[in-house]
């Protein structure tokens, strides 16, 4: 089976570990081989969290520079920072709602301009899907659903060997019951946002 | 029921490496488990801790790794299947019992798990603990994947019982923190009560006894080597005369590389999963069928050295390479593209590198270093110490925990750290060797782990420094594990003792001991000043529960603050305490009400009293 490589980057607390868990469970449900690895050492202390998910017949659980087929960033400057994982054929999805790192507040660095950021990504990747995922999460009922909005968008690209139905089924069975409806709504909003992009 | 206690052999589950390892231990019938938490091993013990609350599995958090291993040694020598897990540097702490436990051995199967951390994602060094196998004479097993880790744990227990020796199980971060599909196996019943048969001429390691025990250890090593020769975890796949010898995650990268380079008719792999003692005959045989050989292993040239020695013994002169300026480094972790490129280069296979985008025109992106949480009491303590020490020329040895992050500006509290507990003992040296004021920092768990002995030393040798114990009632950094100072009611568990740090410190003979509440800024500064002025050893205990933990216990009702229009934009708040709840909007300081917990520290230092509770608005 062909190999598809996905990188998800986020800031601690944005729920990307749950997003990758949902994708892995959906792969299990779909009989798609899946392996992933996460760096979550100091995640709770506001650092960057990166998940690498490899679908298909590969043994490796990490993804080298330039080898991601799909790059999803939960925070715009983190998407840009992770661009070394992409190549000219990569599809990049980014949330456009910034969470400026604290270093900006204490004057150690300037947050990149969002338009410039998108131009840069477009110039280097094959496609950019960019939208305000936080706004959509709020529409779905809670900012915390931002992870499911982005899962919806990345499923829309059709790059992963997963069906909408299997991912939704996983959201139903593997995320907290109280949040299922909100998560499904968030998924749909992200999916249509990616269609429009 | 805990998902890892499921009795459904054949069921497939998505598991984190550490969950798979914990499940493997359950399948092996582990009855007794001990640990001191440390990333990347912590989730193994977390899962065993949870399962122990639902079953007759015994689990305990030890005060440190040496204690944990000794506790486990007692249980294993009473015949129980025992597991003791720690991060790689933890095995340094436990090295003393390890070396002689290797002589004495065990009667119940015992697995000592060491989680190494190539690249140091969350560690102070990247030492390669396979050498502990060589040093102690104990067998070493290393899995390559999450699924294999689970099965190999079961094998490790059987091997240990067969040899009557502990087995070292070595993982790396990319095993512990990878996730994959795992098929559950049968669980062996747990034997939770054992017995110890007295045999002082075996168990009491006076020189005359140990001289005999060392002989048996060498015999066991020879027996282990024989087992390694035919062990299912040392296997060859593929055909051809390009030989690759690899272990751990390097095996995955090598397998993927051979596929992608399309050289499966030319290259074969010897995967070593039982890596000490190295299977000499198996390796020599493999070498004989090769034109040249590449050894792929993260860390030190552990296998490479052995392989070269075997080749020399067999009179083989083929090229064998591994660590080399042109090939593999001892530094950091490997990755698939790196391994693919080096294999192609060494064997002369056609290779097209991945095209990494040219990012030279990307502007510098502001860094996002980890930071103490909003409202973390450590920040308040560091601020108070900084104020109290104003005008003093200081050296501040610090220790290992969330509070290590205090070394970052603007707090800049932390000048030296090497290992757990070193803050206290290095202070003894710094204060004698210099004329500076020495102020050191240690967390509650680290103090119990290995700070106490340093403090006893300081009292006895009459040193002169101030130790600040940051007591937040939990082992925070590794994910909120209990320690001897914790009230176990928080975990809804009974039957535990609780050690008071204040009473302990006083009983050690420290004459100046004060306890402060760091959220009370002025009072804390005054009390710390007094401690700093004291000649001799003084201790300040700064007591406030970890905010993140308090939140998770629902003990903390956040009462967020905001910056009112009294603000004159001095920015003392941002510049001096740098709480991540602050942000700038239109050049004005704002507080994010979601992150602010209402510790009120900034409100107390604002010269305009501009920071007010949100409710009173
Ligand atoms: S986890 Fe607790 S101790 Fe660690 S930085 Fe956060 S509040 Fe502070």
């Amino acid at each position: 089976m062909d190999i598809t490589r996905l990188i998800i980057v986020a800031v601690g607390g944005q729920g990307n570990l749950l997003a990758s868990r949902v994708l892995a469970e959906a792969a299990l449900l779909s009989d798609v081989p899946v392996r992933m690895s996460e760096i979550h050492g100091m995640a709770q202390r506001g650092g960057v969290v990166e998940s690498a998910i490899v679908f298909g017949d590969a043994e490796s659980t990490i993804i080298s520079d330039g080898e991601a087929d799909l790059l999803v960033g939960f925070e715009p400057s983190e998407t840009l920072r992770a661009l070394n994982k992409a190549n000219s054929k990569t599809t990049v999805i980014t949330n456009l709602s910034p969470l400026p790192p604290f270093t900006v507040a204490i004057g150690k660095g300037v947050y990149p301009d969002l338009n410039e950021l998108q131009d840069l990504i477009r110039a280097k990747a094959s496609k950019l899907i960019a939208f305000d995922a936080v706004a959509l999460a709020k529409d779905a009922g809670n900012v915390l659903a931002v992870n499911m909005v982005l899962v919806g968008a990345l499923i829309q690209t059709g790059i992963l060997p997963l069906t909408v139905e299997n991912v939704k089924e996983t959201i139903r069975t593997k995320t907290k019951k109280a949040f299922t409806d909100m998560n499904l709504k968030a998924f749909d909003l992200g999916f249509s946002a990616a269609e429009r992009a | 029921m805990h998902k890892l206690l499921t009795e459904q052999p054949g069921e497939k589950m998505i598991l984190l490496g550490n969950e798979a390892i914990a499940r493997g231990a359950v399948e092996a019938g582990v009855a007794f488990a001990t640990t001191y938490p440390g990333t990347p091993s912590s989730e193994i013990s977390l899962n065993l801790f949870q399962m122990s609350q639902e079953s007759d599995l015994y689990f305990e958090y030890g005060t440190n790794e040496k204690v944990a291993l000794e506790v486990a040694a007692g249980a294993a020598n009473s015949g129980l299947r025992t597991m003791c897990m720690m991060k790689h540097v933890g095995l340094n702490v436990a090295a003393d019992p390890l070396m002689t436990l290797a002589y004495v051995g065990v009667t119940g199967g015992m697995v000592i798990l060491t989680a190494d951390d190539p690249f140091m994602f969350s560690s102070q060094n990247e030492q390669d603990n396979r050498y502990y196998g060589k040093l102690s004479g104990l067998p070493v097993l290393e899995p390559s994947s999450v699924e294999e880790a689970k099965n190999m744990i079961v094998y490790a227990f059987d091997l240990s019982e067969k040899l009557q020796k502990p087995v070292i199980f070595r993982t790396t971060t990319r095993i512990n923190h990878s996730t994959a599909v795992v098929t559950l196996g049968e669980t062996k019943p747990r034997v939770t009560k054992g017995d110890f048969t007295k045999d002082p001429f075996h168990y009491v390691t006076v020189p005359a006894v140990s001289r005999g025990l060392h002989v048996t250890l060498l015999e066991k090593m020879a027996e282990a080597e024989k087992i390694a020769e035919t062990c299912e975890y040392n296997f060859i796949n593929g055909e051809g005369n390009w030989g690759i010898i690899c272990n751990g995650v390097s095996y995955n990268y090598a397998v993927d590389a051979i596929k992608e380079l399309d050289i499966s008719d030319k290259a074969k792999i010897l995967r070593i999963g039982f890596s000490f003692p190295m299977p000499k005959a198996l390796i020599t045989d493999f070498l004989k069928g090769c034109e040249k050989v590449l050894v792929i292993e993260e860390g030190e040239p552990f296998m490479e050295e052995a392989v070269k020695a075997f080749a020399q013994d067999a009179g083989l002169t083929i090229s064998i390479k591994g660590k080399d300026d042109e090939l593999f480094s001892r530094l950091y972790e490997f990755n698939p593209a790196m391994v693919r490129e080096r294999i192609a280069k060494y064997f002369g296979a056609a290779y097209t590198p991945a095209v990494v985008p040219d990012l030279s025109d990307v502007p510098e992106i502001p860094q996002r270093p980890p930071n103490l949480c909003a409202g973390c009491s450590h920040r308040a303590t560091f601020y108070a110490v900084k104020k109290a020490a104003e005008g003093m020329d200081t050296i501040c040895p610090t220790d290992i925990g969330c509070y290590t992050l205090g070394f970052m500006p603007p707090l800049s509290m932390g000048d030296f750290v090497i290992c757990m507990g070193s803050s206290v003992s290095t202070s003894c040296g710094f204060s004698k060797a210099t004329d500076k004021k020495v102020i050191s920092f240690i967390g509650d768990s680290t103090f119990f782990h290995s700070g106490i002995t340093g403090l006893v030393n300081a009292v006895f040798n009459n040193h002169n420094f101030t130790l600040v114990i940051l007591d937040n009632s939990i082992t925070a950094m590794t994910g909120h594990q209990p320690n001897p100072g914790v009230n176990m009611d928080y975990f809804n568990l009974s039957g535990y003792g609780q050690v008071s740090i204040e009473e302990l410190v006083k009983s050690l003979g420290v004459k100046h001991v004060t306890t402060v509440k760091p959220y009370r800024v002025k009072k804390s500064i005054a009390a710390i000043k007094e401690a700093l002025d004291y000649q001799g050893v003084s201790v300040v205990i700064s007591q406030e529960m970890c905010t993140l933990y308090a939140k998770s216990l629902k003990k903390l009702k956040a009462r967020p603050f905001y910056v009112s229009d009294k603000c004159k934009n001095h920015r003392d708040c941002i510049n001096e305490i740098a709480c991540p709840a602050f942000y700038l909007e239109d050049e004005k300081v704002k507080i994010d009400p979601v992150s602010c917990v209402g510790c009120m520290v900034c409100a107390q230092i604002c010269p305009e009293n501009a920071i007010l509770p949100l409710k009173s608005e």
Side-chain angles (χ1 to χ4, degrees):
Chain A
M1 176 171 194
D2 279 356
I3 300 167
T4 313
R5 298 183 173 90
L6 161 67
I7 293 272
I8 304 182
V9 286
V11 174
Q14 283 191 305
N16 78 319
L17 297 186
L18 180 64
S20 31
R21 196 80 178 197
V22 162
L23 294 170
E25 292 283 358
L28 174 61
L29 188 67
S30 321
D31 251 337
V32 170
V34 65
R35 292 170 196 284
M36 63 184 193
S37 91
E38 282 148 1
I39 288 304
H40 43 114
M42 293 288 266
Q44 283 180 312
R45 321 296 177 274
V48 184
V49 195
E50 182 189 291
S51 314
I53 316 181
V54 185
F55 299 89
D57 291 320
E59 305 292 327
S60 306
T61 67
I62 62 175
I63 297 171
S64 301
D65 288 359
E67 302 203 329
D69 299 297
L70 192 54
L71 166 65
V72 180
F74 282 33
E75 199 284 334
S77 71
E78 293 311 327
T79 315
L80 189 59
R81 203 196 304 276
L83 212 52
N84 59 316
K85 292 287 177 194
N87 61 50
S88 55
K89 296 195 191 96
T90 307
T91 297
V92 178
I93 301 177
T94 189
N95 171 20
L96 281 181
S97 168
L99 282 174
F102 189 72
T103 42
V104 173
I106 54 173
K108 291 228 171 64
V110 185
Y111 196 86
D113 174 79
L114 284 184
N115 289 323
E116 205 180 303
L117 176 147
Q118 293 179 67
D119 290 342
L120 276 166
I121 299 176
R122 263 188 218 107
K124 298 181 198 298
S126 100
K127 185 175 182 191
L128 172 67
I129 299 172
F131 58 91
D132 185 343
V134 168
L136 296 183
K138 283 183 186 151
D139 288 349
N142 193 323
V143 273
L144 292 177
V146 69
N147 52 2
M148 293 304 135
V149 172
L150 288 158
V151 167
L154 74 89
I155 292 301
Q156 191 280 332
T157 64
I159 296 171
L160 299 187
L162 302 174
T163 60
V164 173
E165 234 351 279
N166 281 351
V167 176
K168 283 194 168 177
E169 179 58 22
T170 309
I171 294 176
R172 260 178 236 121
T173 52
K174 301 283 171 184
T175 68
K176 284 211 183 92
K177 289 279 161 291
F179 299 134
T180 308
D181 289 341
M182 179 182 86
N183 283 336
L184 289 170
K185 189 165 174 204
F187 178 93
D188 286 337
L189 289 173
F191 192 95
S192 15
E195 268 173 339
R196 285 193 304 272
Chain B
M1 189 177 60
H2 195 285
K3 71 174 178 190
L4 298 181
L5 287 172
T6 319
E7 289 289 351
Q8 269 171 1
E11 186 180 327
K12 288 190 170 168
M13 268 190 196
I14 295 271
L15 295 182
L16 183 69
N18 280 342
E19 293 173 326
I21 290 168
R23 170 68 189 187
V26 170
E27 288 181 8
V30 70
F32 198 101
T34 64
T35 194
Y36 183 82
T39 314
S41 78
S42 307
E43 298 87 359
I44 309 171
S45 37
L46 176 69
N47 279 286
L48 292 171
F49 180 41
Q50 289 164 346
M51 286 189 268
S52 73
Q53 294 161 36
E54 298 179 22
S55 68
D56 59 355
L57 163 67
Y58 180 78
F59 172 85
E60 72 175 41
Y61 282 109
T63 10
N64 65 33
E65 294 85 354
K66 170 173 149 61
V67 171
L69 183 56
E70 290 159 351
V71 171
N77 273 301
S78 305
L80 302 191
R81 283 206 156 185
T82 304
M83 182 149 157
C84 180
M85 58 239 112
M86 58 198 75
K87 69 181 292 165
H88 61 333
V89 287
L91 200 50
N92 301 335
V93 179
D96 199 4
L98 178 80
M99 295 304 296
T100 310
L101 181 61
Y103 278 35
V104 166
V106 291
T107 52
M110 179 188 212
V111 175
I112 300 169
L113 184 138
T114 159
D116 292 12
D117 190 17
F119 191 70
M120 300 163 276
F121 289 102
S122 46
S123 307
Q124 65 270 41
N125 75 30
E126 55 180 349
Q127 67 185 53
D128 184 336
N129 275 6
R130 290 177 293 174
Y131 283 99
Y132 270 115
K134 211 168 178 177
L135 189 62
S136 63
L138 295 177
V140 177
L141 297 175
E142 303 176 68
S144 289
S145 70
V146 170
E147 311 88 293
E148 189 181 42
K150 190 209 71 166
N151 298 335
M152 206 186 241
I153 285 278
V154 182
Y155 175 80
F157 276 101
D158 292 343
L159 178 67
S160 165
E161 249 159 46
K162 186 167 184 157
L163 294 170
Q164 302 273 287
K165 294 288 177 197
V167 167
I168 298 176
F169 196 91
R170 183 226 186 201
T171 60
T172 56
T173 304
R174 295 297 185 175
I175 299 287
N176 301 96
H177 286 172
S178 281
T179 297
V181 182
V182 173
T183 309
L184 302 188
E186 309 262 352
T187 57
K188 284 204 183 80
R190 271 182 292 280
V191 178
T192 54
K193 261 293 162 252
D195 198 12
F196 174 70
T197 316
K198 289 189 192 198
D199 182 4
F201 290 96
H202 178 90
Y203 289 119
V204 181
T205 52
V206 294
V209 171
S210 289
R211 281 182 205 118
L213 293 176
H214 197 185
V215 175
T216 35
L217 175 61
L218 297 187
E219 287 164 6
K220 295 284 182 179
M221 279 168 67
E223 193 184 334
E225 186 181 327
K226 254 197 213 123
I227 298 172
E229 295 287 2
T230 54
C231 167
E232 59 182 297
Y233 292 111
N234 292 332
F235 58 81
I236 296 170
N237 63 29
E239 267 169 74
N241 50 20
W242 295 352
I244 292 171
I245 300 179
C246 54
N247 71 328
V249 291
S250 304
Y251 170 70
N252 307 328
Y253 310 153
V255 169
D256 287 350
I258 286 176
K259 222 189 282 169
E260 284 178 45
L261 294 169
D262 200 15
I263 52 169
S264 51
D265 53 335
K266 300 198 185 76
K268 64 178 173 219
I269 295 181
L270 169 57
R271 203 295 303 265
I272 299 291
F274 190 146
S275 59
F276 186 81
M278 289 279 272
K280 185 175 179 180
L282 179 71
I283 292 172
T284 309
D285 245 25
F286 181 81
L287 295 178
K288 283 184 180 152
C290 295
E291 182 178 283
K292 56 200 299 203
V293 170
L294 183 62
V295 184
I296 312 179
E297 56 188 325
E298 291 177 333
E300 300 299 315
F302 180 85
M303 297 196 298
E304 186 185 339
E305 284 166 353
V307 169
K308 285 180 171 165
F310 298 157
Q312 152 88 25
D313 267 2
L316 296 170
T317 52
I318 52 168
S319 157
I320 300 170
K321 290 231 158 102
K323 303 291 167 186
D324 185 298
D325 288 347
E326 301 282 295
L327 294 163
F328 293 107
S329 169
R330 301 162 115 106
L331 295 172
Y332 316 142
E333 66 167 1
F334 295 173
N335 67 68
M338 171 205 273
V339 168
R340 194 187 317 136
E341 193 241 346
R342 306 295 146 86
I343 289 177
K345 185 177 193 174
Y346 181 66
F347 293 108
Y351 168 70
T352 14
V355 192
V356 183
D358 172 14
L359 299 179
S360 53
D361 57 339
V362 171
E364 205 177 314
I365 305 161
Q367 291 301 309
R368 196 184 294 273
N371 193 349
L372 296 169
C373 300
C376 174
S377 54
H378 298 331
R379 180 177 291 103
T381 308
F382 287 133
Y383 175 81
V385 172
K386 202 168 177 167
K387 285 286 151 190
E390 240 163 30
M392 292 181 186
D393 204 357
T394 61
I395 302 176
C396 299
T398 186
D399 226 299
I400 295 181
C402 289
Y403 54 92
T404 316
L405 294 174
F407 86 104
M408 302 260 294
L411 296 165
S412 307
M413 286 275 125
D415 298 320
F416 193 82
V417 60
I418 45 179
C419 63
M420 294 282 286
S422 68
S423 59
V424 194
S425 336
T426 57
S427 292
C428 299
F430 282 122
S431 61
K432 274 281 178 229
T434 70
D435 287 328
K436 297 199 169 162
K437 176 70 207 177
V438 175
I439 310 169
S440 47
F441 298 100
I442 193 167
D444 47 343
S445 190
T446 309
F447 180 66
F448 286 115
H449 178 284
S450 48
I452 299 171
T453 41
L455 191 56
V456 174
N457 181 72
V459 171
F460 172 64
N461 288 304
N462 196 20
H463 285 289
N464 178 22
F465 64 90
T466 302
L467 173 66
V468 180
I469 303 179
L470 301 148
D471 178 10
N472 62 357
S473 325
I474 201 74
T475 311
M477 176 153 87
T478 44
H480 300 120
Q481 291 86 355
N483 68 55
V486 171
N487 178 350
M488 292 301 281
D489 290 351
Y490 298 147
F491 287 83
N492 290 319
L493 291 173
S494 56
Y496 284 86
Q498 188 180 3
V499 181
S500 150
I501 294 182
E502 187 175 322
E503 282 171 31
L504 175 65
V505 168
K506 283 185 178 156
S507 71
L508 296 182
V510 179
K511 294 285 178 295
H512 190 102
V513 183
T514 19
T515 297
V516 300
K517 291 276 174 201
Y519 288 163
R520 295 197 196 135
V521 179
K522 273 205 190 104
K523 269 193 168 172
S524 299
I525 296 175
I528 294 167
K529 240 188 210 142
E530 255 177 57
L532 297 184
D533 289 339
Y534 181 81
Q535 283 298 305
V537 184
S538 56
V539 169
V540 176
I541 303 167
S542 182
Q543 230 170 31
E544 185 64 55
M545 189 184 270
C546 159
T547 327
L548 197 60
Y549 186 55
K551 262 194 202 163
S552 74
L553 289 181
K554 311 248 178 314
K555 276 196 176 305
L556 187 129
K557 275 201 86 194
R559 296 177 306 120
F561 279 55
Y562 79 106
V563 184
S564 69
D565 51 16
K566 288 202 257 171
C567 169
K568 295 232 170 86
N569 230 349
H570 308 288
R571 300 200 188 162
D572 286 10
C573 49
I574 285 202
N575 294 336
E576 295 197 39
I577 57 172
C579 174
F582 290 119
Y583 63 98
L584 292 177
E585 198 176 87
D586 305 329
E587 288 306 298
K588 285 254 172 205
V589 180
K590 298 265 151 120
I591 293 174
D592 170 18
V594 181
S595 359
C596 178
V597 299
C599 70
M600 294 191 300
V601 171
C602 57
Q604 294 167 66
I605 70 162
C606 172
E608 306 295 333
N609 291 321
I611 303 178
L612 303 170
L614 201 52
K615 267 193 196 135
S616 69
E617 205 182 12

